[in-house]
Amino acid sequence: MRLSHGCLLLGLAGLALGACAPGVPANWARGGATLDVPRARWIVGNASVEVFPDGRILINDEHELTVDRGGRVYDPSHEAVGLLEPDGRLVGPGDKPLGNVGVLHASRAEEANAWISVLPTGEVVRYGDNSERLTLGVWIGCNQSYASHQTCTLISHLLAPKIISAQQSMRYLPGYGMYPGGYMPGMGLPYR
């Protein structure tokens, strides 16, 4: 009898902990903004972000996220990352605000100004603390429609912090090693 009470208490504790975890955004089942998912590539530093029409997003050939035509973004284990609402608000699990994403610009939660833009040319620009413009690579394949461009802006908004952090800490992203002087194979060193 004692064992069954222990199992019951353990089961109740597990349910209580699970109930505290934030769930998917409120409109997850319905979906949010209508997006086009293009075949696109973002080249930034030593990283390559690939987007496939089935929604898979890879950083240097490793599956990072998936986006669907209903504005839902989730990780490889199918856990919700965020939902882009039709009005441009990006909400995470438990309806946590993650910012605003338009066709060209994205702002962080609780900020009025854009922190990152994907220009019509595909150039990704992030804005520093003093409003200086800093280049953060270029997208190829995003200019098929407004909805596909917004998809690339959404992906940039979500992945740029990880990419910037990896560059600033001199860590490398999956698939690339560190080489002397920052050079990597294929960089085109002059032949003498």
Side-chain angles (χ1 to χ4, degrees):
M1 192 66 156
R2 206 169 186 63
L3 180 61
S4 63
H5 286 293
C7 291
L8 179 65
L9 287 175
L10 184 62
L12 289 175
L15 284 174
L17 289 175
C20 295
V24 297
N27 295 325
W28 185 261
R30 178 178 55 85
T34 302
L35 299 174
D36 288 341
V37 184
R39 173 66 176 104
R41 175 181 291 152
W42 178 21
I43 306 297
V44 52
N46 67 346
S48 173
V49 177
E50 303 280 339
V51 181
F52 293 93
D54 65 359
R56 287 176 301 125
I57 302 166
L58 282 62
I59 297 180
N60 296 335
D61 297 325
E62 292 201 17
H63 189 190
E64 187 71 25
L65 296 172
T66 302
V67 63
D68 70 14
R69 293 180 49 86
R72 291 175 282 261
V73 181
Y74 47 95
D75 66 18
S77 62
H78 299 287
E79 295 294 322
V81 172
L83 173 68
L84 182 61
E85 296 284 1
D87 63 1
R89 288 178 302 113
L90 180 62
V91 292
D95 288 330
K96 177 184 174 191
L98 299 177
N100 292 293
V101 179
V103 174
L104 298 174
H105 312 287
S107 61
R108 293 182 175 122
E110 318 251 341
E111 289 186 12
N113 297 321
W115 82 279
I116 196 164
S117 297
V118 179
L119 304 180
T121 60
E123 180 185 5
V124 181
V125 175
R126 74 177 175 104
Y127 304 99
D129 295 333
N130 297 323
S131 298
E132 70 270 19
R133 294 169 52 113
L134 306 165
T135 299
L136 195 59
V138 64
W139 275 103
I140 301 164
C142 292
N143 56 355
Q144 299 169 16
S145 67
Y146 290 129
S148 65
H149 201 95
Q150 187 172 21
T151 301
C152 294
T153 304
L154 170 64
I155 294 166
S156 300
H157 176 69
L158 291 171
L159 294 182
K162 178 177 183 167
I163 291 170
I164 292 167
S165 174
Q167 288 177 341
Q168 289 175 343
S169 67
M170 295 303 293
R171 286 182 285 141
Y172 60 93
L173 293 170
Y176 285 96
M178 297 301 286
Y179 292 87
Y183 293 108
M184 298 182 335
M187 287 189 70
L189 293 176
Y191 178 75
R192 293 188 183 199

